[in-house]
Amino acid sequence: MEWTDDGIVLGVRRHGESSAVLELLTREHGRHLGLVRGASGARMRPVLQPGNTVRAVWRARLDEHLGMYAIDGLTLRAAGLMAASHGAYGTTHLAALARLLPERDPHQEIYLRVEHALDDFEDAGVAAVHIVRFELAILAELGFGLDLDSCAATGETTDLIYVSPKSGGAVSRNAGAPWADRLLPLPPFLRESEEDHGWSDQDLLDGFRLTGLFLLRHVLEPRGQGHSDAREGFINAVTRARARLARPAE
């Protein structure tokens, strides 16, 4: 068995003296493990870092075997990601979300979203928007997608500012007004163009509250899990980074 694919490094686990088990999110073959010989060497260490994109050749005698990886670096972004707290936490959280998907089950759209997010992580606010959107995408991929395109009560497609915590459907301003205190805010970046960067800190927190509720209810709690420490660390790091930028120059 042999295939070649691009993959994003999710994690590396030491194996023996110089080898490692490498976990990739690949474009065509989903989340896939394989053994890398010489992983602790000076040439491979910088390549096998979470967040990097690599070219992987996987070989095994049988498809169900762990198999061996031959790896070449393509986009080595890990050093830049780890230089900022939100980058380090965000990379770890994206990997944790990817692990919710079944192993070796192709999810090309998820792969593209992860790669796009990691390439656009320099600004903490933009990184937060990517993470919220990715959490929504994971919910949809696992069969629990939210309907944010039209009002659950009236079918309207405009002025959608709420989300029902029960149905996960959007609710328009007029329809939701009598129950506003029971509904979740739908942040602007989930209902407007991605090019609009006029989000407040509260908008970002509203986004995480929204996705966090449904991830817990439908995905994490049924598995006996909760939100990862990396998610909370990422949210706190984004808040701190945006607060530093908002301070007036002395």
Side-chain angles (χ1 to χ4, degrees), residues 126-161:
V126 173
V129 170
H130 280 303
I131 293 284
V132 173
R133 289 181 178 274
F134 186 71
E135 290 184 343
L136 281 177
I138 286 289
L139 279 166
E141 203 75 12
L142 294 174
F144 305 106
L146 308 187
D147 182 5
L148 304 181
D149 295 327
S150 61
C151 177
T154 66
E156 295 177 70
T157 58
T158 59
D159 208 19
L160 306 174
I161 67 167

Side-chain angles (χ1 to χ4, degrees), residues 23-101:
E23 181 182 25
L24 296 178
L25 177 64
T26 65
R27 185 188 298 265
E28 302 290 345
H29 298 83
R31 186 169 59 86
H32 208 290
L33 303 178
L35 189 69
V36 180
R37 301 287 190 195
S40 60
R43 185 183 75 85
M44 292 305 299
R45 273 200 311 271
V47 176
L48 303 181
Q49 298 297 318
N52 284 342
T53 299
V54 300
R55 175 67 50 78
V57 179
W58 180 82
R59 299 183 180 92
R61 190 169 64 85
L62 296 174
D63 185 60
E64 60 266 24
H65 288 177
L66 174 64
M68 304 286 298
Y69 271 139
I71 298 293
D72 288 307
L74 292 179
T75 306
L76 305 185
R77 61 175 77 83
L81 291 168
M82 298 303 151
S85 294
H86 76 270
Y89 281 120
T91 302
T92 302
H93 180 48
L94 283 171
L97 291 170
R99 292 188 183 103
L100 296 172
L101 301 171

Side-chain angles (χ1 to χ4, degrees), residues 125-126 129 187-189 192-204 242:
V126 173
V129 170
F189 62 84
E192 296 174 2
S193 169
E194 196 170 343
E195 299 303 316
D196 178 10
H197 291 185
W199 323 299
S200 68
D201 289 346
Q202 189 59 52
D203 291 332
L204 298 176
R242 287 171 62 84

